[in-house]
Amino acid sequence: MSFLENLVTQFPDKIKILPHARGEHVLEVERHILPTVCAYLKNEHHPRFNFLMDLAGVDYSAFGAPTQVAAYTGANDPVSKPTAQDFSLNTHRERFAVVYNLFAWPEKLRLRLQVPVPELNPETPTVSHLWSGANWFEREVWDMFGIRFKGHPDLRRILLYDEFKGHPLRKDYPITRRHPLVDNQKAEAPFQAQNHHAAPFRIKIPEPGKQTQNMLLNIGPSHPAMHGVIHVFTELDGEKIQKADIGIGYLHRAFEKDAENVTWTQVFPYTDRLNYVSPLLNNVGYAMAVEKVMGLQTTERCQYIRVLMSEISRITDHLTCIAASTMEVGAMTAFLYFVKVRDMFYELIEEITGARLTVSYVRIGGVKADLTPEFPAHLQKVLVELRIAMKEMHALVTRNRIFVDRMKGLGVTDKETAIDYGFTGPFLRSTGIDYDVRKAEPYLVYDQLDFDIPYGQYGDNYDRYLVRMEEMEQSVRLIEQCMQKLQKMPGAPLNVDYEGKEIPASKMADLGKYGYTKGLLQIHALTDPTLSGGNAWLHDNIFPTDAKGVVLPAKEKTYGSIEGLMNHFMLIMEGYGIQPPPGDAYHAVEGANGELGFYVISDGKGQPYRVRVRPPCFALMSGFHKVIEGDMIADLIATFGTVNMIAGELDR
Amino acid sequence: MAIRNLLGGDNFITSRLDDVIGWARKYSIFVYPFVTACCGMEYMSVAGPQYDLDRFGAALPRFTPRQADLLFVVGTISQKMAPILRRIYDQMCEPKWVIAFGVCTCTGGFYNNYATVQGIDTIIPVDVYIPGCPPRPETVLQGLMLLQEKIQKQKQEY
């Protein structure tokens, strides 16, 4: 008897198991007993679901509705519209649903609760008393969907501003409906208005006539030491932070709304800009979530390349974080050393992907291009540079008195708080919990590679710094193992034309465009495997050959045969293209800041029905006030640096 | 010595006052980096050792708008952020210039949605637009040189 069936017997008639095509554990829970179920799951159930990883809303009102362009199914017969009964989504057919992704550590068990919420009275009980991290997640659902949470201590907008009317992630909200910009004076309201705590912030101003009063201080949204836009509102007693509140949403770019309005492939550029310090990790996370919905398996070579690029991305992220956070405490030299190496990594990434930063490298079912022949040599050089820079960094700051004094014992978080708020990644590991998605639920080929998970002890700034430094070492280990494996696999050949001369791939593609395709495929001429062209043989190494409805054909096939051309055309045309079967999936990868989860819902169309990101920063910042309360105001800057908040991911 | 020849043997040169002030101003730009988003990563690279903004006399970031001449708007400006940008621009002393760094600040980029301002020129005047998502450091340097040219040629107020 599975634990799901046990649960159903525990709460008969109130919850039911929803079958899931990809083997995820999903339960539908009636909203009235949700707090009881959650309390049971968190405190009494074995294993205890101590993490609330994600909480998201879904608006099902347009589910399965016909789009303007008829969907392409490969035949001329009319498309059968998926109904909600087809799969495990929203069987009650209520308009809204709130989805809770729970995680049990250390048992590594995931459970998803789906709570239908009717349109007329969109209200559901809060779970913020069980998991503190739910506070912000619920505020976001209120902001985006207008679902109220009964009993929530502080239900107000989080990503948008108070003057905003409507709830943009509802399906009937047009994506471009803007509201007038707020009055300039309102931005300074927290300082001027006496009753400001009524609206934007919940800190009370002391009564007049008292002898002492705490000072209120705004830090941000535009502040030199704040990497990314964030508003920290502090109440100070002298220099000590008594209370803090965090205001976010200054970089809200409507990722989730945008994703619903483009095709599945077009979401990739948007994912680049979530955590823009490690875009490749976001690419991989999204692609794997979609592949999970489709039940698609990528090739082995592709998986190694993905791991390789992910780890390179992780290194650039940690380099940036450490560079910036050391700069904040005065180590400008350290910043310069690390940024120099980071630039080398950017050039390396550019060699493979064509872009330094916003790469859009991963595709559903594969990656955009194979490694270049020169790549291993270049990588070796850069890794040597990285090792030198890390050695210099250790020599400069790791035992530097000034640095250590600003880092040790500050921004301390204990394990319970970290779990309560859903912290993940280096932050969680610094407290001594070695949870890492790469080990806990190995995806891609992480289970075949040898690496360690560094973790700290005290949960302070210094531990976070050390964890990040060590993680870079481990990433280098992973990269080297991947390179060894990749070099044993079929590698990148040279381009040759009919006469055996080397030609650039772009020229070959041009030949194809002009119709000089005779013999192009027969002679097994190979184009450059990288950016400028396709390569049928190598293409098959990085894309599964049987997934015709997903993967763009190699360029030779597109230009050289009518089948290839049609295949390409159908995938590119709007309303055709990739159409995952109706269903949903949650897939998490280990982002640079923690668990980066993508919850994807498809209704069988060419556009995603819903793409929800579980941003690690969001959970981190929701508990940030706990981390800084009690510290000095100057330590806030040092602590903030080691949290590594990335606004693009935080506000989406 | 070439400079000797230029001076004509005597220790003076003749020029227009505007030119001299422009020359001085273009090489002593104090930047306020208004960094909000992805472009900030490339801004770090531009300021970093490899591309080195210092060569243009524009390395020292001033983090108070009252000390800055040049507002680098780096990254997407959301509707929520727009009033803050406007306030910071208003706080800067004349003469002041604005560079829109990245396509989001130029036009809104591919974020055509309810949350994003469609170009910062709807809020504040812009001198140089640097497109790109994000622009490469070389592009940024070119944009900066264009601004220097503009500063040199403009009518100086003093």
Side-chain angles (χ1 to χ4, degrees):
Chain A
M1 198 157 153
S2 77
F3 81 99
L4 288 178
E5 285 159 5
N6 268 330
L7 276 169
V8 173
T9 52
Q10 200 84 22
F11 301 94
D13 306 331
K14 301 286 186 191
I15 61 179
K16 62 176 178 189
I17 303 172
L18 299 180
H20 193 273
R22 308 293 167 217
E24 292 181 21
H25 304 301
V26 191
L27 285 177
E28 185 178 285
V29 182
E30 238 177 67
R31 56 177 169 150
H32 302 295
I33 62 149
L34 178 74
T36 328
V37 174
C38 284
Y40 174 77
L41 284 170
K42 194 195 168 204
N43 298 322
E44 293 162 48
H45 187 262
H46 181 79
R48 292 176 55 217
F49 286 94
N50 40 8
F51 273 98
L52 175 70
M53 276 302 176
D54 191 21
L55 193 163
V58 185
D59 178 0
Y60 278 106
S61 60
F63 196 83
T67 43
Q68 290 182 345
V69 190
Y72 169 72
T73 52
N76 283 332
D77 46 289
V79 186
S80 58
K81 291 194 187 69
T83 55
Q85 277 95 352
D86 287 350
F87 48 94
S88 67
L89 295 171
N90 199 37
T91 46
H92 275 196
R93 287 179 171 259
E94 300 288 7
R95 175 168 179 184
F96 298 111
V98 183
V99 179
Y100 300 76
N101 274 305
L102 308 182
F103 180 65
W105 176 258
E107 289 82 3
K108 304 167 194 169
L109 194 63
R110 281 187 197 277
L111 173 65
R112 186 154 70 243
L113 305 180
Q114 181 126 359
V115 181
V117 179
E119 181 174 7
L120 284 177
N121 179 23
E123 188 173 77
T124 178
T126 180
V127 292
S128 56
H129 57 285
L130 293 167
W131 294 281
S132 305
N135 187 323
W136 273 29
F137 282 123
E138 288 178 352
R139 278 174 67 189
E140 193 197 329
V141 174
W142 155 247
D143 196 356
M144 291 291 143
F145 290 93
I147 298 172
R148 290 187 304 277
F149 289 87
K150 208 157 111 191
H152 189 284
D154 185 28
L155 198 63
R156 55 193 158 90
R157 286 194 183 273
I158 184 163
L159 294 180
L160 295 164
Y161 40 98
D162 290 333
E163 290 79 3
F164 197 91
K165 288 184 188 64
H167 301 282
L169 274 183
R170 288 189 173 190
K171 287 283 175 183
D172 50 11
Y173 190 96
I175 182 168
T176 50
R177 183 190 286 166
R178 295 188 183 85
H179 294 272
L181 293 176
V182 284
D183 180 17
N184 196 1
Q185 291 306 310
K186 286 232 172 104
E188 37 188 311
F191 256 156
Q192 291 182 344
Q194 277 299 306
N195 62 343
H196 73 272
H197 58 278
F201 290 105
R202 60 179 144 83
I203 296 170
K204 278 184 188 152
I205 293 181
E207 290 162 23
K210 271 195 175 174
Q211 285 300 308
T212 61
Q213 66 171 44
N214 288 345
M215 193 177 124
L216 301 173
L217 184 68
N218 275 306
I219 302 165
S222 180
H223 186 270
M226 294 291 174
H227 310 285
V229 274
I230 193 165
H231 190 170
V232 183
F233 192 67
T234 54
E235 185 180 331
L236 303 175
D237 177 14
E239 275 192 80
K240 209 163 227 173
I241 300 170
Q242 293 292 337
K243 264 185 192 170
D245 195 9
I246 320 285
I248 66 166
Y250 294 98
L251 189 59
H252 179 58
R253 299 188 279 198
F255 164 78
E256 288 171 19
K257 189 77 177 176
D258 275 328
E260 289 169 14
N261 286 278
V262 294
T263 65
W264 288 92
T265 315
Q266 285 168 348
V267 177
F268 280 109
Y270 290 100
T271 61
D272 284 341
R273 289 150 184 86
L274 285 173
N275 184 343
Y276 38 74
V277 198
S278 50
L280 285 154
L281 287 163
N282 302 301
N283 281 185
V284 171
Y286 169 71
M288 292 195 71
V290 180
E291 283 157 13
K292 192 170 181 182
V293 175
M294 304 181 82
L296 198 69
Q297 182 71 29
T298 45
T299 62
E300 197 188 4
R301 183 172 176 86
C302 163
Q303 295 195 12
Y304 275 106
I305 293 177
R306 280 185 181 184
V307 170
L308 175 78
M309 299 308 279
S310 294
E311 295 307 318
I312 288 179
S313 218
R314 193 183 315 281
I315 290 178
T316 57
D317 194 298
H318 288 348
L319 282 174
T320 314
C321 171
I322 293 174
S325 61
T326 48
M327 183 179 68
E328 292 318 333
V329 294
M332 187 70 190
T333 323
F335 171 80
L336 294 176
Y337 281 176
F338 266 22
V339 167
K340 188 178 112 195
V341 182
R342 194 190 66 164
D343 255 8
M344 294 174 185
F345 273 103
Y346 276 170
E347 274 156 24
L348 207 61
I349 293 172
E350 191 184 4
E351 182 182 334
I352 305 298
T353 68
R356 286 160 60 86
L357 193 62
T358 42
V359 293
S360 303
Y361 173 62
V362 179
R363 295 285 183 273
I364 296 165
V367 289
K368 178 167 126 189
D370 207 330
L371 308 179
T372 56
E374 305 84 28
F375 180 75
H378 292 174
L379 180 71
Q380 273 312 321
K381 266 188 211 158
V382 178
L383 289 183
V384 170
E385 289 289 334
L386 173 72
R387 289 220 162 93
I388 294 173
M390 284 177 67
K391 214 173 160 188
E392 280 170 330
M393 186 62 124
H394 278 305
L396 272 171
V397 300
T398 305
R399 286 185 190 78
N400 184 320
R401 178 72 193 275
I402 304 169
F403 181 75
V404 172
D405 282 357
R406 294 291 307 270
M407 288 283 169
K408 249 187 193 161
L410 293 168
V412 182
T413 317
D414 56 20
K415 289 181 189 177
E416 286 72 32
T417 317
I419 292 179
D420 196 25
Y421 279 96
F423 290 0
T424 45
F427 205 119
L428 179 72
R429 289 193 283 277
S430 75
T431 65
I433 299 173
D434 61 339
Y435 168 59
D436 187 315
V437 188
R438 291 175 293 172
K439 278 274 190 214
E441 296 170 325
Y443 53 96
L444 295 172
V445 285
Y446 277 112
D447 49 348
Q448 295 166 32
L449 300 167
D450 191 23
F451 67 106
D452 298 320
I453 303 298
Y455 59 94
Q457 192 175 358
Y458 304 106
D460 58 358
N461 289 342
Y462 196 62
D463 273 5
R464 287 194 278 279
Y465 162 76
L466 290 179
V467 164
R468 284 212 169 81
M469 287 296 272
E470 184 55 34
E471 269 186 29
M472 285 202 282
E473 293 278 4
Q474 297 301 326
S475 291
V476 173
R477 267 178 83 185
L478 282 167
I479 288 173
E480 285 172 345
Q481 290 174 52
C482 282
M483 274 327 292
Q484 277 173 11
K485 287 272 185 186
L486 280 169
Q487 279 172 329
K488 279 179 203 153
M489 286 178 206
L494 286 168
N495 311 335
V496 282
D497 69 356
Y498 312 113
E499 288 136 29
K501 283 189 295 191
E502 294 181 19
I503 57 163
S506 53
K507 195 179 167 195
M508 184 143 183
D510 284 344
L511 287 174
K513 278 181 209 163
Y514 291 114
Y516 302 124
T517 54
K518 194 181 163 199
L520 209 64
L521 288 169
Q522 283 73 15
I523 61 153
H524 201 69
L526 300 169
T527 49
D528 193 305
T530 57
L531 299 168
S532 29
N535 180 316
W537 169 59
L538 209 73
H539 196 264
D540 295 341
N541 283 332
I542 53 173
F543 284 109
T545 40
D546 51 342
K548 288 232 169 11
V550 182
V551 179
L552 282 178
K555 281 284 177 283
E556 299 91 322
K557 286 183 185 158
T558 307
Y559 295 128
S561 70
I562 188 66
E563 292 80 14
L565 184 66
M566 279 166 72
N567 190 354
H568 181 91
F569 184 72
M570 281 306 184
L571 283 170
I572 292 296
M573 280 293 286
E574 200 175 335
Y576 298 81
I578 296 171
Q579 296 175 337
D584 63 344
Y586 177 84
H587 190 272
V589 295
E590 180 69 23
N593 280 335
E595 176 172 324
L596 175 73
F598 280 86
Y599 177 58
V600 177
I601 302 179
S602 162
D603 63 345
K605 301 272 170 44
Q607 295 176 334
Y609 188 76
R610 174 108 169 84
V611 178
R612 157 76 189 169
V613 196
R614 190 264 175 203
C617 283
F618 195 82
L620 291 178
M621 291 321 289
S622 74
F624 186 59
H625 64 281
K626 280 274 176 202
V627 182
I628 55 172
E629 274 168 13
D631 284 354
M632 301 287 230
I633 182 82
D635 299 328
L636 186 155
I637 303 302
T639 309
F640 188 78
T642 59
V643 171
N644 192 23
M645 182 219 69
I646 306 294
E649 178 182 82
L650 178 74
D651 302 333
R652 281 151 287 140
Chain B
M1 295 289 279
I3 188 80
R4 269 287 158 77
N5 298 339
L6 189 76
L7 292 173
D10 300 318
N11 289 328
F12 67 89
I13 52 168
T14 54
S15 175
R16 288 164 62 231
L17 190 55
D18 262 16
D19 285 349
V20 175
I21 292 174
W23 174 81
R25 277 183 176 159
K26 78 173 177 182
Y27 287 123
S28 59
I29 298 172
F30 284 73
V31 182
Y32 181 96
F34 190 84
V35 178
T36 61
C38 339
C39 288
M41 295 302 112
E42 286 295 36
Y43 179 79
M44 278 165 105
S45 290
V46 174
Q50 196 154 353
Y51 295 95
D52 197 5
L53 206 56
D54 213 355
R55 293 177 293 160
F56 302 89
L60 199 60
R62 298 279 84 193
F63 282 109
T64 160
R66 291 177 174 82
Q67 294 175 352
D69 313 308
L70 171 60
L71 181 63
F72 250 116
V73 185
V74 185
T76 320
I77 300 298
S78 66
Q79 300 274 93
K80 196 172 178 178
M81 197 68 188
I84 299 154
L85 174 64
R86 175 75 215 190
R87 264 188 83 190
I88 283 183
Y89 177 77
D90 288 343
Q91 287 173 0
M92 288 171 66
C93 299
E94 293 282 352
K96 55 185 170 185
W97 299 276
V98 177
I99 284 186
F101 185 124
V103 74
C104 286
T105 54
C106 297
T107 64
F110 72 167
Y111 291 105
N112 182 11
N113 57 40
Y114 62 86
T116 316
V117 172
Q118 301 298 293
I120 58 164
D121 48 8
T122 57
I123 312 167
I124 55 175
V126 176
D127 293 282
V128 177
Y129 297 86
I130 306 176
C133 191
R136 293 182 60 92
E138 296 90 331
T139 327
V140 180
L141 297 183
Q142 192 199 0
L144 191 72
M145 290 192 290
L146 284 172
L147 182 76
Q148 286 182 329
E149 210 172 290
K150 182 174 178 173
I151 294 175
Q152 172 76 68
K153 283 180 184 164
Q154 78 180 39
K155 175 154 175 44
Q156 308 294 344
E157 286 172 18
Y158 41 85

